[in-house]
Amino acid sequence: MTHRLYSLLAASILLLIIFASLIWLADADFFKSTSAFFKGAFGGRKYAYLLVTISRAALITGMAIAALIAFRAGLFNIGGEGQLVIGGLASAFVAINLPFGGPAGIFLVLLAGMIAAGVWAMLAGIMKLWLGVPILVGTLLLNYPARYIASYFVSHPLRDIASGMPQTHLIEKSLWLPLLPGTRLDIGFIFILFIFCIVLIYCYRTVGGYEAKMTGLSIDFANASGLKTKKISLKTLALSGAIAGLVGAIAVLGIHHRFTDGMLVQPLYAWTGIVAALMVSLIPWAVLPAGFFFAAIHSGASGMERTADVPKEIAIIIQGIIILFVASKVPTAFNQNIGNGK
């Protein structure tokens, strides 16, 4: 524990030094830039920028939870991006064709996104069991057809031609996620907080969570203990994908109110979520502050660009450095797979 704290402290100091160096290279005032960073992440009129940070943090945290669920079971699911896209597309399709709205309609749209993404994630497990494709490779490869399928549908069958863009028609307002009173923040983050609490219970207090963890720590031990590791792996992939699909549905109903080509890919929600989960060594309760941390970096960098004329690409550089730090901490559980399971 002490070693981990020292490591975290050293990494924080290194990030601060690099941040100061980047500000210096940009020929900007350090204190003005720092002030702009914090204002861009947490300030604004009526804390508008803080609400933006919370909204982005919800999506990143959701994808971090999706990655965490799979990684703890020894399944290197890096197909969150594809599952996110499929979930968003499915939810948009159902929302456009649903004959009613309100809470019941919102529930069905969210459920559709979760089911579609869960099934999509299970394809990687099926590919492993029947074709011998490693989970890492299978989930990664499935990102590409997911993106191309989405691009086709929003460019042709589902396209809102009048908009002139590759996107679906606007969803009926009765299916939009409600906003918090007096703000522009939708209640999507509440869904993510609920999922976060459920996942904590799942990881620490349920038999299923324990079995998934044991499978991730040692698949041979899990097999010797009589656990049905193939079934556990498929269920875990489905759960991971379903959470990613929920994130996609929340982005559609709460932020964009339609599905636009690339809207879930370009912000790098999935990949940032993976880094956030790995940064905290797959500790379930820690993914929430990790997601907020990355969202704050992005929002703060945008604030620096607006106020201090410092390029927001600094955020990307900082994330890249964090990725290098995380790369040395990737759990060895990823070497496990479901190839020899029951």
Side-chain angles (χ1 to χ4, degrees):
M1 185 66 178
T2 302
H3 175 73
R4 181 178 296 175
L5 290 175
Y6 282 135
S7 178
L8 182 60
L9 179 61
S12 300
I13 294 173
L14 178 62
L15 279 178
L16 182 61
I17 294 174
I18 293 173
F19 176 76
S21 301
L22 292 173
I23 296 298
W24 178 76
L25 289 174
D27 196 25
D29 182 83
F30 177 79
F31 295 103
K32 181 181 179 181
S33 300
T34 304
S35 175
F37 177 89
F38 283 101
K39 183 178 180 180
F42 312 114
R45 184 181 179 185
K46 295 183 179 180
Y47 299 101
Y49 298 143
L50 173 60
L51 299 182
V52 171
T53 299
I54 292 174
S55 178
R56 184 178 182 85
L59 303 184
I60 294 175
T61 300
M63 295 310 300
I65 293 172
L68 172 92
I69 289 292
F71 290 176
R72 277 173 62 90
L75 304 169
F76 204 169
N77 175 18
I78 57 174
E81 183 179 274
Q83 295 148 26
L84 177 69
V85 169
I86 290 296
L89 179 64
S91 62
F93 176 80
V94 172
I96 292 171
N97 294 281
L98 201 64
F100 58 90
I106 292 175
F107 172 78
L108 287 178
V109 172
L110 295 176
L111 183 62
M114 295 178 69
I115 292 175
V119 171
W120 191 262
M122 286 183 65
L123 290 178
I126 294 172
M127 290 167 59
K128 170 61 183 176
L129 294 177
W130 275 272
L131 300 177
V133 179
I135 293 295
L136 186 150
V137 176
T139 53
L140 176 62
L141 291 180
L142 284 172
N143 284 335
Y144 298 99
R147 292 172 58 179
Y148 295 140
I149 290 171
S151 295
Y152 167 76
F153 275 98
V154 299
S155 299
H156 299 288
L158 302 180
R159 184 181 182 184
D160 179 8
I161 299 177
S163 70
M165 296 181 63
Q167 60 187 12
T168 66
H169 292 273
L170 200 64
I171 295 170
E172 290 291 332
K173 286 190 175 183
S174 62
L175 289 172
W176 293 10
L177 292 181
L179 302 178
L180 293 183
T183 73
R184 296 180 61 84
L185 177 64
D186 65 81
I187 64 171
F189 78 98
I190 297 178
F191 288 101
I192 298 300
L193 286 176
F194 176 75
I195 292 298
F196 172 72
C197 294
I198 293 297
V199 168
L200 287 182
I201 295 173
Y202 169 79
C203 290
Y204 292 122
R205 291 291 185 267
T206 67
V207 175
Y210 176 79
E211 291 178 345
K213 183 179 179 181
M214 288 301 100
T215 301
L217 291 175
S218 175
I219 194 169
D220 293 329
F221 177 80
N223 284 327
S225 300
L227 298 181
K228 298 180 179 179
T229 53
K230 288 185 178 180
K231 183 179 179 180
I232 291 172
S233 298
L234 288 175
K235 287 169 59 178
T236 303
L237 283 172
L239 179 59
S240 175
I243 295 174
L246 175 64
V247 175
I250 289 173
V252 169
L253 298 186
I255 301 175
H256 302 278
H257 306 133
R258 69 192 341 155
F259 188 94
T260 303
D261 192 22
M263 75 175 200
L264 297 175
V265 175
Q266 293 173 359
L268 300 177
Y269 295 129
W271 297 106
T272 306
I274 289 175
V275 175
L278 294 178
M279 185 180 74
V280 295
S281 301
L282 304 182
I283 301 173
W285 63 264
V287 296
L288 185 62
F292 188 83
F293 170 76
F294 279 103
I297 288 179
H298 183 273
S299 299
S302 298
M304 284 197 304
E305 186 173 58
R306 286 192 304 267
T307 306
D309 199 27
V310 177
K312 66 179 180 180
E313 283 71 22
I314 283 181
I316 299 176
I317 297 174
I318 293 176
Q319 287 188 26
I321 295 169
I322 293 174
I323 290 173
L324 293 177
F325 171 74
V326 166
S328 64
K329 299 169 66 64
V330 176
T332 56
F334 294 157
N335 293 327
Q336 303 294 333
N337 56 58
I338 62 175
N340 299 319
K342 292 183 179 180

